Amino acid sequence: RHTRSWCDWSSDVCSSDLITPRTGAGYSNNLISGSTTFGNSANILYLTPFIPLNTLTITAASIQVTTAGAATNMKILVYSDSNGLPTTKLLESSLLDISTTGFKTYTATFTFTAGTTYWIGTIASGANGVITSTTQTLQIGVATNSNTTYNGFSIGGINLASIPSTLSLTSGNLASLSSQPRVTFVSA
C-alpha cells in the first residue's frame, strides 16, 4: 500500500510515503541514505529523534564500525519521548565490541509504533574508533534568538556501565550536532 498526504511536486518529496516494512529489511534512524563518519567520544550519550511512519517490529539493531577502536565498547539505546525530550529508557543493547571493523549487531525484539517519537542513542566507553553516521537528520527545534536548528542531544558524564533509566533533560540540553550516529534496524 502506498499513499501520499501532500507532495512538493517540484522535488517529489511527500509528507508520508507509507510503505509496509519488509521482513529482514534494514531501516535507519536517519532520514537520508548518504553517509559520513562519526568519531567516538568517551562517556557521551548522543540521542536523535526517530518517528516511524509505520509500526515496525525489529529483530536487531546495529552500528557499522569503519575504523576499529582498540579497547572500546559501545551500546545502542532507545528512549521514549515526553514533550520533545527523551525520558524513559526502553531498550539498551549489550556491549558491542568495536575493536574490529564491520557491523556490530545487538539481537532483540522491539516494536516501534507508527507516529510515535523515539530517541535513538549511542554511547562509547572511549574515544577510539569511528562509526558510520550522517550529516542530516530530523530538526527538532529552533533557537529563539537565531535561526539555529537543533537535532539531538549530547549528554556528557554518562557511565557505560550504569546508563540512566530516566533522563531529566530540558530544552537547554539540545545540541546542534554536525553528524549523528547511524543505527540500522532489521525488521521482523
Side-chain angles (χ1 to χ4, degrees):
R1 190 178 118 215
H2 183 83
T3 62
R4 294 181 176 195
S5 58
W6 66 262
C7 292
D8 173 357
W9 296 110
S10 64
S11 64
D12 199 29
V13 174
C14 298
S15 67
S16 60
D17 288 337
L18 301 178
I19 300 171
T20 304
R22 294 184 332 264
T23 299
Y27 296 88
S28 174
N29 62 316
N30 299 116
L31 296 176
I32 62 170
S33 60
S35 66
T36 185
T37 57
F38 185 86
N40 292 320
S41 296
N43 303 315
I44 297 178
L45 175 59
Y46 295 97
L47 293 159
T48 55
F50 175 62
I51 307 169
L53 290 176
N54 286 288
T55 295
L56 176 66
T57 298
I58 63 164
T59 58
S62 62
I63 53 174
Q64 182 180 16
V65 179
T66 58
T67 302
T72 302
N73 292 304
M74 289 188 73
K75 283 189 175 182
I76 298 169
L77 299 125
V78 176
Y79 278 85
S80 65
D81 177 86
S82 178
N83 298 317
L85 300 170
T87 54
T88 304
K89 184 172 54 177
L90 303 174
L91 180 71
E92 178 179 341
S93 77
S94 57
L95 290 175
L96 301 172
D97 179 1
I98 67 164
S99 63
T100 59
T101 59
F103 281 93
K104 307 303 173 183
T105 302
Y106 171 64
T107 303
T109 300
F110 184 82
T111 300
F112 292 102
T113 303
T116 301
T117 301
Y118 297 91
W119 291 86
I120 309 303
T122 61
I123 187 170
S125 63
N128 299 323
V130 174
I131 64 173
T132 301
S133 71
T134 187
T135 55
Q136 297 179 14
T137 191
L138 182 65
Q139 302 298 305
I140 59 171
V142 179
T144 57
N145 59 354
S146 72
N147 291 327
T148 304
T149 57
Y150 298 103
N151 53 18
F153 289 88
S154 171
I155 308 155
I158 303 290
N159 185 326
L160 191 67
S162 58
I163 297 170
S165 295
T166 304
L167 298 174
S168 298
L169 301 176
T170 67
S171 58
N173 296 110
L174 287 166
S176 184
L177 305 176
S178 60
S179 64
Q180 300 81 31
R182 177 179 292 179
V183 177
T184 303
F185 305 108
V186 178
S187 65

